Amino acid sequence: MRSVALSPSQRQASLEAMSAQHLDILVIGGGVVGAGAALDAATRGLSVGLVEARDYASGTSSRSSKLIHGGLRYLEMLDFRLVAEALAERSLLIEKLAPHLVKPVPFLYPLKHRVWERFYAGSGVLLYDSLARLSGRSRGVPSHRHLTRRGARRIMPALRKDALIGALHYYDGQVDDARHTMMIARTAAAYGAHVASRARVVDLLRDGGRVVGAKVADLETGEEFEVRARQVVNSTGVWTDETQSFAGERGQFHVRASKGIHLVVPRDRIRGESGLILRTEKSVLFVIPWGRHWIIGTTDTDWSLSKDHPAASRSDIDYLLDHVNEVLVEPLTHEDVEGVFAGLRPLLAGESDATSQLSREHAVSTSTKGLVVIAGGKYTTYRVMAKDAIDAAVHAMSADLDRLVPPSCTEDVPLLGADGYDALWNKRHHLAESSGLRVGRIEHLLNRYGSLALEVLDLIAADESLARPLTGADDYLRAEVVYGTTHEGARHLEDVISRRTRISIETFDRGTEVAEEVAELMGGTLGWTKSQRAREVEHYLKRVEAERESQSMPDDETADAARKGAPDVVPVQQVKKKAPAS
């Protein structure tokens, strides 16, 4: 499949095409499910548009635990179908769809009780591996094994001796969620979808009792236009109820937001070669290897405040530090924390008061003619959710089409960068020699771009200054900033620092030291004036300041108020919603 750049000109062309055509499908929401739905529809031969109010993956889809997994804790809930489905998707992603982005990651599960716990937990992990086999696909990861205490501490010397009597060692999958979601949207564009970020739906168009499209505002210019479509897919995650309200009707289900926060600490703060999964009184806690860092999370608490920028409070951070320190020889402190990020899970509202007990199953509703609503689910099963949403849309519009729409084929559609990845990995030493970069740099590029790394190397060949690392964030090259702007749809400073790269959570300064350099590189591509560059930097610095302040606050309410101190660089319009029908 040919590569398509999510360039500024591509965005403009997509907006013009959506306003001029009568689409088969309009997808609202550029998270992982919305991007997946656009790819599913496009690869069935449907005309499709995708609009996202902010940046791709700027909501929940960039703030996950970055795991592709079945979810061991769902076995205890006896949700075998969800676990089996997720494990099948894990194998598919690792082996076929995105081998450049999704990798196996090891975990230790410390055991604290003799005999019965090893049997109980061991049976669970054995079932976990067995469900992966029964999915009909290769597991994509090694099998689990039992370890003695000495064996476990050989892998993880950071574990206190009295914190375990043995352990289970197993594997799951890991992904850079923001890059993965963006790459799905870019792949959809390669198959003909019209995709645009910073394009907000401000209302739904109706013809009698039927939804026939949406009114969209281009937040970069302030212009509004109408997009007509046979079916509109609402895949807006925690904003599902708000988007549904534009239809003037109550939906069949409601979405409840659960906040999960994560900490990022340097790799040298925890000595070991494997992740950890720890039981807590509420759920589980992960310690996850992440390049030169560890990700620690997560919490699971109800959230009813601002959905745009969920805030982590001091009590959230203390909770994670307290729990992880129970098993570490050398306890972590607040000074060890490089980055903090908070996200909201879109859970289907249920009877339980505890969000950790709400369903991670997804649901599809077609109660309003012309509108398909998809909600719930988990990141790993995005492709299945997208398929179910488009299946519902195709069924609803089948009478209006003069052709049969084929079934979903996305299980056989690799994302851009997947084809040729293995071959280039085998040639990485040659690529290093020909480009003048170290082998480690080439491996970094291949694991972020796959075979598209050649396009990044082309930028370096044309301008040798782009081969230099960013000052203050030397894991990333200057070329990656330019490429994120020319090919990956980044339009603002935070898009690059927070999502095309993960500098915002991987440096103690949260990306403030690199902001000027990134703005200069982006501005040269996007044609920013000196004042525009200064505005972008000022906004980003204020964002970091507000986040730091929120993380010093004692509770959700004060943290939320502090985070609101930094407005969006492109304000998302506040639209008066229609009152739902009674």
Side-chain angles (χ1 to χ4, degrees), residues 27-40 48-51 61 181 184-185 188 233-236 374 382 386 390:
V27 180
I28 307 172
V32 69
V33 176
L39 176 59
D40 191 286
V48 58
L50 169 69
V51 290
S61 296
T181 297
I184 298 171
V233 176
N234 173 7
S235 58
T236 52
I374 176 77
Y382 81 90
I390 301 304

Side-chain angles (χ1 to χ4, degrees), residues 436-497:
L437 298 176
R438 291 185 292 106
V439 173
R441 288 288 185 190
I442 296 296
E443 291 176 349
H444 162 89
L445 294 175
L446 288 173
N447 285 330
R448 285 171 49 75
Y449 305 92
S451 57
L452 298 184
L454 296 178
E455 297 180 348
V456 182
L457 294 177
D458 286 343
L459 291 178
I460 292 173
D463 181 354
E464 291 184 358
S465 70
L466 297 181
R468 297 201 306 266
L470 291 168
T471 305
D474 59 6
D475 281 350
Y476 300 96
L477 301 179
R478 288 163 57 88
E480 296 182 73
V481 174
V482 174
Y483 188 80
T485 309
T486 58
H487 287 71
E488 297 181 338
R491 299 192 57 81
H492 295 280
L493 195 59
E494 69 175 64
D495 298 348
V496 167
I497 297 179

Side-chain angles (χ1 to χ4, degrees), residues 148-286:
T148 62
R149 175 163 55 195
R150 179 178 297 179
R153 295 189 72 233
R154 188 177 297 119
I155 295 173
M156 288 295 290
L159 287 173
R160 284 170 37 187
K161 189 174 181 179
D162 62 356
L164 73 165
I165 56 93
L168 297 169
H169 191 237
Y170 76 100
Y171 283 79
D172 252 322
Q174 183 175 61
V175 67
D176 184 332
D177 47 6
R179 290 201 58 76
H180 176 246
T181 297
M182 176 277 299
M183 200 64 80
I184 298 171
R186 191 174 168 188
T187 305
Y191 282 96
H194 309 298
V195 304
S197 62
R198 308 287 176 181
R200 177 179 172 83
V201 168
V202 297
D203 205 357
L204 293 176
L205 304 177
R206 295 179 66 105
D207 183 358
R210 183 182 185 85
V211 172
V212 295
K215 181 181 289 187
V216 178
D218 179 350
L219 299 183
E220 300 286 2
T221 64
E223 297 178 2
E224 293 189 359
F225 58 94
E226 293 183 349
V227 179
R228 300 276 171 172
R230 288 188 171 90
Q231 291 286 311
V232 175
V233 176
N234 173 7
S235 58
T236 52
V238 293
W239 291 274
T240 295
D241 292 356
E242 288 85 344
T243 308
Q244 173 74 24
S245 71
F246 288 140
E249 298 180 6
R250 294 189 186 277
Q252 285 185 320
F253 48 76
H254 297 283
V255 172
R256 182 170 161 186
S258 164
K259 184 179 72 169
I261 83 139
H262 296 78
L263 311 179
V264 182
V265 302
R267 192 65 179 262
D268 63 6
R269 299 305 196 270
I270 301 175
R271 292 182 300 128
E273 302 300 325
S274 172
L276 295 172
I277 177 171
L278 308 172
R279 297 294 296 259
T280 70
E281 68 277 8
K282 296 179 181 178
S283 183
V284 295
L285 184 144
F286 290 101

